[in-house]
Amino acid sequence: MKVAIFAGGFGTRLSEETAIRPKPMVEIGGRPIIWHIMKIFAHYGFKDFVVLGGYKVDYIRDYFLNYRGRSSDYTINLKTGVIDWVQSMGEDWNVTVLDTGDDVMTGGRLKKARFLLSDAPFCLTYGDGVSDVNITALVEAHLASDYWCTLTAVTQPGRYGALRLNKGSTQVKGFREKGPTDGGLINGGFFVCDPAVFEVIDNNQTTWENEPMTRMIELGKLGYFHHGGYWQSMDSLRDKMVLEAAWAEGAPWKVWQD
């Protein structure tokens, strides 16, 4: 199963970092946050990635093109360019980096990858959030349902809009504004999708979180998987500092072994 990752936005609320790099390349513990996300999926055996780039996509391309060289010890003949890999390190991942455009919204970015994702269910996530969610359990829950999309519902106080859920089932009924003391569940951004989701995305200016989800709710095709563990997004410099502190203390999203 492939994993699509949104990685093309401007990240304006983290402009201290994103003026020079796309948000998924902002580092936590010396590694881009997109690397942490990919390590989470790879831990569960999902190693085929489609990165939906846009803003400063060349930064992402260069990172993965040079990943082996950054991670390995080598001897290079500066005249011939021949490289002898003394200790070749890396990840057993397949990574496709797509330039989906600077001014394209999330739904439009996803639809541009349809030719890579339309033959089977796939995972989808944002390039700026980490969690210790059990990806295998999430995928199994989706495959056992008839939903077109299953999102991960997590608890997060504060500024996010909460989910309205159908009691007694795993169906999402809608979204609502959330108050600062509301302990309701929110969309945690880890999805499993069927190719049918492409039918509810209109064009480049479609936002994945708006019209497509509303349409799936109306059709009874949007479900949720409850995750009660760790989840944190990186929307601001403060969030980055929270993640850096968590990494120094052991990183609760670090489900993989070094």
Side-chain angles (χ1 to χ4, degrees):
M1 183 178 286
K2 293 182 179 180
V3 181
I5 304 176
F6 289 123
F10 291 99
T12 53
R13 285 185 289 183
L14 192 59
S15 59
E16 300 90 346
E17 293 275 356
T18 56
I20 59 173
R21 73 192 82 187
K23 186 159 69 162
M25 298 305 297
V26 174
E27 294 185 353
I28 301 298
R31 296 274 196 170
I33 192 169
I34 194 172
W35 176 88
H36 294 263
I37 295 165
M38 295 164 88
K39 289 288 282 187
I40 294 168
F41 280 95
H43 171 75
Y44 292 100
F46 301 94
K47 302 180 181 181
D48 196 348
F49 299 96
V50 180
V51 180
L52 308 176
Y55 172 68
K56 295 188 180 295
V57 66
D58 285 345
Y59 202 110
I60 300 174
R61 285 172 167 163
D62 290 345
Y63 177 77
F64 288 111
L65 282 172
N66 295 293
Y67 190 92
R68 186 182 184 189
R70 295 170 186 267
S71 306
S72 305
D73 297 330
Y74 59 83
T75 301
I76 183 171
N77 184 298
L78 297 182
K79 183 175 182 179
T80 65
V82 173
I83 297 175
D84 177 22
W85 296 100
V86 177
Q87 185 178 18
S88 183
M89 306 293 289
E91 306 289 350
D92 184 23
W93 303 344
N94 292 317
V95 182
T96 301
V97 181
L98 293 183
D99 182 0
T100 61
D102 281 2
D103 299 318
V104 178
M105 305 304 288
T106 46
R109 295 190 192 283
L110 180 58
K111 195 156 190 175
K112 287 195 171 190
R114 184 174 188 169
F115 71 103
L116 293 171
L117 302 169
S118 61
D119 59 344
F122 59 92
C123 293
L124 172 67
T125 194
Y126 298 98
D128 63 356
V130 292
S131 176
D132 61 353
V133 58
N134 186 319
I135 303 296
T136 298
L138 168 61
V139 169
E140 289 175 349
H142 176 77
L143 295 179
S145 75
D146 64 351
Y147 298 128
W148 289 0
C149 176
T150 300
L151 60 79
T152 300
V154 300
T155 301
Q156 173 75 9
R159 62 189 180 278
Y160 301 91
L163 300 171
R164 288 195 297 109
L165 306 178
N166 190 4
K167 293 183 179 180
S169 79
T170 58
Q171 184 179 344
V172 177
K173 299 295 290 182
F175 300 90
R176 60 183 171 81
E177 292 302 313
K178 187 179 183 204
T181 60
D182 189 340
L185 298 176
I186 65 166
N187 172 13
F190 287 80
F191 308 91
V192 184
C193 303
D194 284 355
V197 300
F198 292 112
E199 303 306 321
V200 292
I201 301 173
D202 292 332
N203 53 47
N204 286 352
Q205 298 309 306
T206 300
T207 301
W208 167 247
E209 303 80 13
N210 293 339
E211 297 95 334
M213 288 196 184
T214 298
R215 291 170 182 170
M216 286 188 285
I217 288 170
E218 291 171 349
L219 294 168
K221 292 297 184 180
L222 181 62
Y224 76 94
F225 173 84
H226 182 211
H227 172 59
Y230 183 85
W231 176 87
Q232 177 65 49
S233 65
M234 187 181 66
D235 289 326
S236 65
L237 185 60
R238 177 188 176 279
D239 292 335
K240 181 183 185 300
M241 294 171 64
V242 168
L243 287 167
E244 286 282 14
W247 177 260
E249 295 172 2
W253 67 88
K254 188 176 178 292
V255 293
W256 65 91
Q257 298 295 320
D258 292 324

